[in-house]
Amino acid sequence: MAGEPQDDCLFCKIVEGHVPATIVRETETTVAFRDINPQAPTHVLVIPKAHYPDAASLATGAPTLAADVLREAKAVADEDKLESYRIVFNTGAGAGQTVWHAHAHVLGGRGMQWPPG
């Protein structure tokens, strides 16, 4: 069920403290941690603590929580002193989503190309 922790979800396990992560920020509603396979000098994932399988379901089911994720993405960029950065939400396997818990990638610290891939 949307919003409820899922036993088989890696990010829910990080939220619960059962899987270690390098946490850089935490609020009442979000957790931000370093990506284990960084694609840029700054590569942080910002996730809602509540489980939503992707960005679309998060935006539809909990728009205030989606705004919290974006606000924390900016806070991560500010803490890493990024003048410019990219926020990426992969939604669906064809877009590269591999963990079915909504998350924003905050990427920065190097030039970004367009189109991204």
Side-chain angles (χ1 to χ4, degrees):
M1 176 180 295
E4 297 296 320
Q6 304 295 304
D7 291 338
D8 61 344
C9 175
L10 173 64
F11 290 173
C12 287
K13 291 176 183 177
I14 289 172
V15 168
E16 294 168 353
H18 300 305
V19 170
T22 303
I23 295 174
V24 296
R25 291 186 57 82
E26 185 168 4
T27 69
E28 186 175 312
T29 60
T30 66
V31 176
F33 53 92
R34 302 268 175 212
D35 194 293
I36 62 168
N37 184 26
Q39 301 301 304
T42 293
H43 189 169
V44 173
L45 303 179
V46 181
I47 67 170
K49 288 184 175 180
H51 182 90
Y52 288 85
D54 55 42
S57 63
L58 174 63
T60 301
T64 301
L65 184 53
D68 290 349
V69 169
L70 287 171
R71 191 171 15 264
E72 283 305 300
K74 180 192 181 316
V76 165
D78 289 347
E79 282 189 1
D80 276 20
K81 297 177 179 29
L82 300 175
E83 291 184 21
S84 59
Y85 56 96
R86 182 172 285 167
I87 301 171
V88 176
F89 289 91
N90 298 324
T91 300
Q97 185 175 6
T98 58
V99 178
W100 298 98
H101 184 121
H103 56 285
H105 296 258
V106 181
L107 299 148
R110 68 167 174 81
M112 301 285 167
Q113 303 300 313
W114 195 261

